[in-house]
Amino acid sequence: MNMELALQTFFDESRELLTDMERILLQLESFPGDAELRNALFRCVHTVKGSAGIFGFQHVVSFTHVVENVLDRLRTEEIHLSQLLADLLLRCRDHISLLVDIADPEDAVRLASASQRLLTELGPFHSVTPPQTPQAVVADSHQQHQWRLSVQIAADALRFGMDPLGFIGYLSRLGQLQVTTSSQAVPCLAELEPESCYLSFELALTTDASEALIKEAFELGNDLYQVQLECVQSAQLAKLSAGPPNDSSPELLARTIDKDAGQAHRRKPPAQHFRVQADKLDRLINLVGELVIASASVSLNAGHSGDAVSRESAANLNLLVEDIRNSSLELRMVAIGETFQRFQRVVRDLSAEIGKDIQLDITGAETELDKTVVEKIGDPLMHLVRNACDHGIELPAVRQQKGKLAQGLVQLNAYHESGAIVIEVNDDGNGLNRQKILAKAKEKHLLTGDGHLSDSEVFNLIFEPGFSTVEQVTNLSGRGVGMDVVKRNIEALRGSVELISPGTLGGTTFRIRLPLTLAIIDGFLARVGDATYVVPLDLVVECTELPKALCNADVVSTSHYINLRDEVLPIILLREHFMQPGTSGRRQNIIVVRHGAHKVGLVVDELLGEQQTVIKPLSGIFSHVKGLSGSTILGSGQVSLILDVPALLQQVSQREDSLDRSNNRHVRAPLAAC
Amino acid sequence: MKQSKRNDVVVMQTEQANEQQYLTFQLGQEMFAVGILHIREIIEYGNLTTVPLMPDFVSGVINLRGSVVPVIDLSIRFSRGQSQLSRRTCIVILEVDSAVSCAADSGSEVSALQEVGIIVDAVSEVLEIAPKDIEPAPTFGTRLRAEFIAGMGKVDGAFVILLNVQKALNVEEMAKLASVVEPLEQSHYG
């Protein structure tokens, strides 16, 4: 057994279990009566403890054991989940996760005092029973039993990572334990295999623990241990030490733990998931990317050859490659719910900390997006959620004055929209104060001039570095770092963020738009002069010819909009925007793209049709270039640039105010002398 | 432990030998040289895609077996006018350490080897230049920023300019130059 691998699995599993534990705890707060949840909670901790035991992480086991006891009592409804206990258990969960992460028992010393503190707090919940049943305690402590265990261990046990010391340690914590080791089976040195286990044990245990609790010691290795368990009265204790067990004893509860039953109990439903290393998946997707390029080249060549048969095969190949691409990208798709779930805890803790009552509503948790995107969206979302709680939602008293419910509402919502995922963070708080932001912006010299600004322009000021309208800096937010980072992080994912106030719930709404994947997209190819550009196909609404009357460059450059079926359509002349040399051809086309609520026409020379494109990042040299999000390789081997439509639109609309058109536009500034 | 130390010594020795080897190439009438450890490969000129809104010295990008590599016109970068394309023009792919502050990691510095292509008029040969044959760069007279020059190598009585690749092709600096293009362009509007 590869320990390294097993250990990794332990870490992964524990992390998952602890995440589950948090989720269940939070659910349980809302549905305290749900027995299934209580059992699940117990199982989480129990499994973590068990696996930690296998690896001999005593520091984890000893702490988890107490938590487990408490949860066991919760499960059997001896105690109830109060707010206090829930808080405590959540903190215990965090502590367990810390303990698991350090793994090295020697480092655990650092956490010992924290462990001790939590254990002391847990004390009332496990050692003393709640006041309403004081008699039970007394009765319990009197019901000490003598247990006799005889344990036979399979020779293979050590090879499977079962250390007999594990269960001995466990049992010794339950009560008084006497161990007699039988070494009769140990062969002579020449025949001894150091990896085999030859020992068997006779144990005498005095404890108030139940039979089930004792059996748990052997649950993890239940096919390796043969356990006989019997209950003996104190009087018989003398007999026990004297000779072999008396099988005819009436108190005999001896039962070999039923192997089959045990296994059936532990057998999980048929595996629906299996773990794959992320880098293997990444490699597969890279390869699929290359495959896409290769197949594009095949269809290109087939098209040139004019041979109908090879054209057909190429078309078939293309279809298959598209399927492969989609299914392999799906492998990396995960539901956003897991990320959202984290915020339940954040909001809960936060609201307690700042004295507000806030509920977090999650919708669209099943919306899927690429794992790489999910990993990077957590931090920006965290900022927004904290902001919503701290700045957005008012204090309960203030809310009641305004005639709102005392309980504030923060909503996380996700849905798909034209090839992108939209994540909304809504709150029903007080929204943004336009005047306050404007004043602050002037104070910080972010604004020059008194030009009239639209609401959205004003609100977007809060994404400027160092901007905060809160007079008091709290330890949560308000330092003015953050929103610019949020924006930068989202833009780095080829996404965008906008702010709407008043939002859907009356307060503020942040709307984040992200691409579903960062690897491969469907692209629409267009030619401008010598260059070929790719527009993400999801954004393309339609293509149409630029009306002949407008093809004359002068006409278009005076008015940058056209009439599209009685709708005003602003247009961007790509050739002009990118300052490409040469003049446009006689016939030009418009690609109508949509980004959010905006619709814009991109004027290009020629439409080349759609193609799957593999996104290749552009080198660092181009990191400051706006309007391009990356590059891709065409079937011909040529590199083509992918248009970053949102950035392009932003650039153009920012410029709109100062559209003083002079015709002395130089092509490429003479900067080379620098 | 011991084993790896010994390996280090071997590596260092070969590196020293390599450090003295330089690829010489022609840019206009001048000879330049670059330490061969920086050189990845030499390819034929062609299939260049222009990137708009970039300064002139960025000729564009090429597809190097699946990765997209920027190509610099060294001649413009060194203020010597645009390269004249000829039959012998080629692109030398170099590896440069790049530390570009990258928005994706909230402004943290990402250091990585980056491939950059340079257009040269002709590639000559790989020469061994001993450290004693390398003179410090003159303060002026080369029509080149002093920091671009690592030294002047003596070869057959003539000098070749040994380039400091890290400085001459500093990705961060070039990115900054590229970002200046836009405000200038905007000023034409306003």
Side-chain angles (χ1 to χ4, degrees):
Chain A
M1 188 183 214
N2 188 336
M3 270 322 249
E4 231 3 62
L5 268 179
L7 207 58
Q8 194 51 50
T9 316
F10 163 68
F11 286 135
D12 291 349
E13 253 181 29
S14 306
R15 241 164 256 147
E16 268 170 34
L17 285 165
L18 289 169
T19 314
D20 282 351
M21 178 179 170
E22 184 179 273
R23 182 175 50 81
I24 297 169
L25 259 172
L26 292 168
Q27 276 179 4
L28 204 55
E29 273 197 297
S30 331
F31 310 101
D34 193 331
E36 190 40 51
L37 282 177
R38 287 199 305 264
N39 285 334
L41 192 61
F42 175 79
R43 277 198 300 274
C44 286
V45 177
H46 179 71
T47 315
V48 171
K49 187 187 87 167
S51 346
I54 294 181
F55 291 98
F57 295 141
Q58 278 309 318
H59 57 288
V60 182
V61 177
S62 55
F63 183 81
T64 348
H65 177 70
V66 181
V67 180
E68 187 192 1
N69 273 351
V70 174
L71 292 178
D72 190 32
R73 293 169 61 91
L74 191 66
R75 179 170 69 153
T76 50
E77 296 194 302
E78 282 175 58
I79 48 174
H80 295 283
L81 189 72
S82 59
Q83 173 81 27
L84 187 71
L85 181 58
D87 267 337
L88 187 57
L89 285 174
L90 280 172
R91 275 188 290 134
C92 287
R93 184 214 83 96
D94 295 348
H95 191 71
I96 296 173
S97 119
L98 278 180
L99 287 172
V100 168
D101 275 346
I102 56 171
D104 187 356
E106 279 161 29
D107 285 347
V109 180
R110 287 186 292 118
L111 291 169
S113 64
S115 294
Q116 203 46 53
R117 259 202 315 280
L118 283 168
L119 289 183
T120 325
E121 286 187 59
L122 275 176
F125 296 106
H126 76 100
S127 57
V128 183
T129 19
Q132 64 262 35
T133 55
Q135 294 85 356
V137 185
V138 186
D140 250 14
S141 60
H142 279 293
Q143 277 177 2
Q144 289 230 333
H145 291 289
Q146 308 287 332
W147 296 90
R148 227 191 83 93
L149 293 101
S150 123
V151 185
Q152 304 286 332
I153 302 170
D156 274 346
L158 296 177
R159 290 192 197 95
F160 286 102
M162 287 297 153
D163 185 351
L165 262 181
F167 72 79
I168 293 176
Y170 174 89
L171 291 173
S172 67
R173 278 193 306 275
L174 293 179
Q176 258 192 337
L177 184 71
Q178 273 189 330
V179 185
T180 320
T181 310
S182 145
S183 50
Q184 288 166 355
V186 179
C188 66
L189 194 58
E191 287 165 28
L192 184 121
E193 275 190 61
E195 288 184 349
S196 296
C197 181
Y198 300 103
L199 302 177
S200 55
F201 298 91
E202 298 284 326
L203 303 137
L205 177 68
T206 314
T207 178
D208 54 354
S210 67
E211 184 187 350
L213 215 56
I214 297 175
K215 276 187 187 167
E216 260 168 29
F218 308 99
E219 197 177 80
L220 281 160
N222 64 358
D223 35 2
L224 298 167
Y225 299 134
Q226 286 257 354
V227 183
Q228 287 209 319
L229 181 65
E230 57 186 280
C231 185
V232 252
Q233 295 298 353
S234 335
Q236 287 173 312
L237 201 60
K239 210 163 108 192
L240 180 123
S241 51
N246 186 352
D247 280 23
S248 60
S249 158
E251 283 85 18
L252 188 73
L253 285 175
R255 238 184 290 155
T256 307
I257 293 176
D258 189 317
K259 269 203 237 168
D260 292 335
Q263 275 175 349
H265 168 69
R266 276 163 42 118
R267 196 175 294 142
K268 290 178 180 145
Q272 290 167 329
H273 299 279
F274 65 99
R275 288 167 196 280
V276 181
Q277 271 173 5
D279 52 350
K280 278 189 192 166
L281 208 54
D282 290 347
R283 213 176 63 213
L284 174 71
I285 287 174
N286 280 342
L287 278 174
V288 171
E290 300 300 317
L291 185 65
V292 167
I293 294 173
S295 97
S297 140
V298 168
S299 4
L300 190 81
N301 291 333
H304 282 320
S305 76
D307 176 14
V309 181
S310 51
R311 266 219 299 267
E312 198 178 318
S313 335
N316 275 338
L317 179 70
N318 249 330
L319 279 178
L320 281 174
V321 168
E322 198 168 323
D323 276 357
I324 291 176
R325 180 201 70 167
N326 287 340
S327 11
S328 52
L329 281 180
E330 256 169 41
L331 291 180
R332 257 203 330 207
M333 292 295 209
V334 291
I336 191 139
E338 207 176 310
T339 313
F340 279 1
Q341 208 59 50
R342 283 208 330 233
F343 295 112
Q344 287 285 12
R345 172 81 187 279
V346 172
V347 169
R348 182 186 177 285
D349 288 359
L350 254 181
S351 46
E353 198 178 322
I354 55 182
K356 294 176 185 172
D357 185 6
I358 303 171
Q359 196 204 332
L360 180 71
D361 247 18
I362 291 176
T363 45
E366 68 292 337
T367 318
E368 285 189 324
L369 76 166
D370 197 291
K371 188 164 164 32
T372 42
V373 185
V374 167
E375 280 164 4
K376 289 178 182 152
I377 198 63
D379 286 348
L381 272 183
M382 176 74 86
H383 264 294
L384 295 180
V385 170
R386 297 185 88 141
N387 266 340
C389 295
D390 198 26
H391 303 321
I393 307 282
E394 312 92 328
L395 287 168
V398 181
R399 291 179 64 88
Q400 272 166 342
Q401 266 176 20
K402 290 185 184 171
K404 298 189 202 176
L405 283 173
Q407 187 179 53
L409 181 66
V410 174
Q411 193 185 48
L412 280 171
N413 185 19
Y415 54 91
H416 282 157
E417 187 189 271
S418 57
I421 181 170
V422 179
I423 302 172
E424 284 181 352
V425 183
N426 300 317
D427 66 64
D428 67 346
N430 50 9
L432 288 177
N433 187 332
R434 186 190 153 98
Q435 296 310 322
K436 221 163 150 186
I437 295 174
L438 267 179
K440 197 76 172 184
K442 288 204 175 111
E443 185 190 314
K444 297 230 172 190
H445 306 293
L446 292 172
L447 273 185
T448 47
D450 288 322
H452 181 77
L453 291 174
S454 71
D455 275 358
S456 80
E457 276 171 313
V458 174
F459 295 150
N460 277 315
L461 283 172
I462 70 161
F463 290 114
E464 293 293 324
F467 194 93
S468 174
T469 56
V470 177
E471 278 84 23
Q472 256 190 332
V473 172
T474 67
N475 62 347
L476 297 175
S477 40
R479 286 176 207 283
V481 287
M483 291 314 278
D484 60 317
V485 179
V486 167
K487 185 169 182 183
R488 242 199 354 236
N489 284 352
I490 291 172
E491 281 175 354
L493 295 170
R494 297 196 298 119
S496 65
V497 55
E498 65 179 325
L499 205 166
I500 303 141
S501 178
T504 357
L505 294 176
T508 329
T509 292
F510 285 93
R511 192 170 290 152
I512 302 172
R513 200 177 295 274
L514 290 168
L516 285 181
T517 165
L518 297 175
I520 305 173
I521 56 165
D522 277 316
F524 190 86
L525 263 59
R527 185 180 62 81
V528 181
D530 301 329
T532 313
Y533 293 102
V534 178
V535 184
L537 188 65
D538 306 318
L539 301 175
V540 177
V541 183
E542 61 175 312
C543 297
T544 168
E545 205 174 333
L546 187 71
K548 280 234 171 66
L550 291 174
C551 281
N552 183 337
D554 292 335
V555 178
V556 176
S557 54
T558 46
S559 57
H560 271 231
Y561 58 88
I562 59 160
N563 176 343
L564 180 75
R565 292 189 294 276
D566 292 338
E567 234 181 275
V568 181
L569 183 77
I571 53 174
I572 300 173
L573 300 164
L574 282 185
R575 177 190 296 278
E576 190 183 277
H577 182 84
F578 286 138
M579 296 189 286
Q580 262 177 245
T583 48
S584 44
R586 209 176 305 153
R587 293 176 63 178
Q588 287 192 292
N589 294 285
I590 304 175
I591 305 175
V592 182
V593 292
R594 178 205 299 279
H595 173 64
H598 309 284
K599 244 187 188 181
V600 177
L602 304 174
V603 179
V604 299
D605 288 353
E606 194 186 344
L607 305 173
L608 300 175
E610 51 185 275
Q611 190 180 38
Q612 301 176 63
T613 45
V614 181
I615 299 175
K616 305 263 177 187
L618 277 172
S619 150
I621 295 181
F622 307 108
S623 56
H624 296 276
V625 179
K626 289 241 174 72
L628 298 175
S629 61
S631 55
T632 184
I633 294 167
L634 301 179
S636 62
Q638 275 275 354
V639 179
S640 153
L641 301 164
I642 301 172
L643 293 182
D644 182 354
V645 174
L648 204 64
L649 296 191
Q650 200 189 3
Q651 225 179 344
V652 173
S653 66
Q654 270 173 5
R655 210 180 279 162
E656 196 130 89
D657 282 341
S658 51
L659 270 187
D660 179 15
R661 305 211 151 270
S662 54
N663 273 329
N664 58 349
R665 223 160 284 127
H666 295 297
V667 173
R668 298 182 148 215
L671 263 175
C674 296
Chain B
M1 238 355 219
K2 267 183 191 165
Q3 186 65 42
S4 74
K5 259 187 194 158
R6 211 174 301 144
N7 281 347
D8 282 350
V9 173
V10 174
V11 169
M12 270 167 66
Q13 278 170 351
T14 49
E15 267 184 14
Q16 265 167 4
N18 282 339
E19 260 169 33
Q20 299 178 2
Q21 295 194 324
Y22 294 86
L23 174 80
T24 58
F25 56 84
Q26 221 169 348
L27 213 57
Q29 299 304 311
E30 290 160 288
M31 282 294 257
F32 290 87
V34 171
I36 58 162
L37 285 181
H38 287 292
I39 292 173
R40 178 75 184 257
E41 62 191 283
I42 302 167
I43 56 169
E44 212 179 326
Y45 178 87
N47 267 339
L48 216 68
T49 301
T50 327
V51 179
L53 305 179
M54 288 301 281
D56 277 349
F57 70 82
V58 182
S59 296
V61 286
I62 52 161
N63 164 17
L64 183 71
R65 289 185 308 279
S67 58
V68 176
V69 176
V71 177
I72 307 296
D73 190 332
L74 215 52
S75 183
I76 303 180
R77 173 91 169 135
F78 292 166
S79 324
R80 282 156 167 75
Q82 198 168 358
S83 290
Q84 295 304 311
L85 297 184
S86 76
R87 211 167 38 81
R88 299 185 63 196
T89 304
C90 40
I91 298 175
V92 180
I93 308 288
L94 304 171
E95 275 177 349
V96 191
D97 255 332
S98 68
V100 181
S101 57
C102 161
D105 296 83
S106 11
S108 65
E109 301 255 303
V110 181
S111 174
L113 272 186
Q114 191 157 29
E115 290 170 339
V116 176
I118 53 173
I119 300 179
V120 301
D121 288 340
V123 174
S124 315
E125 58 186 324
V126 174
L127 285 177
E128 206 155 304
I129 306 177
K132 64 174 170 53
D133 288 333
I134 298 175
E135 300 285 325
T139 42
F140 60 90
T142 53
R143 293 196 299 137
L144 211 59
R145 245 154 74 183
E147 59 170 359
F148 288 177
I149 306 173
M152 307 289 284
K154 268 184 288 192
V155 178
D156 301 334
F159 280 111
V160 296
I161 299 173
L162 308 184
L163 285 182
N164 181 342
V165 174
Q166 228 50 267
K167 285 281 191 306
L169 296 174
N170 186 309
V171 173
E172 199 172 0
E173 189 201 310
M174 292 194 287
K176 276 198 186 124
L177 287 177
S179 69
V180 203
V181 176
E182 258 191 305
L184 267 187
E185 169 242 2
Q186 271 179 343
S187 71
H188 295 304
Y189 283 86

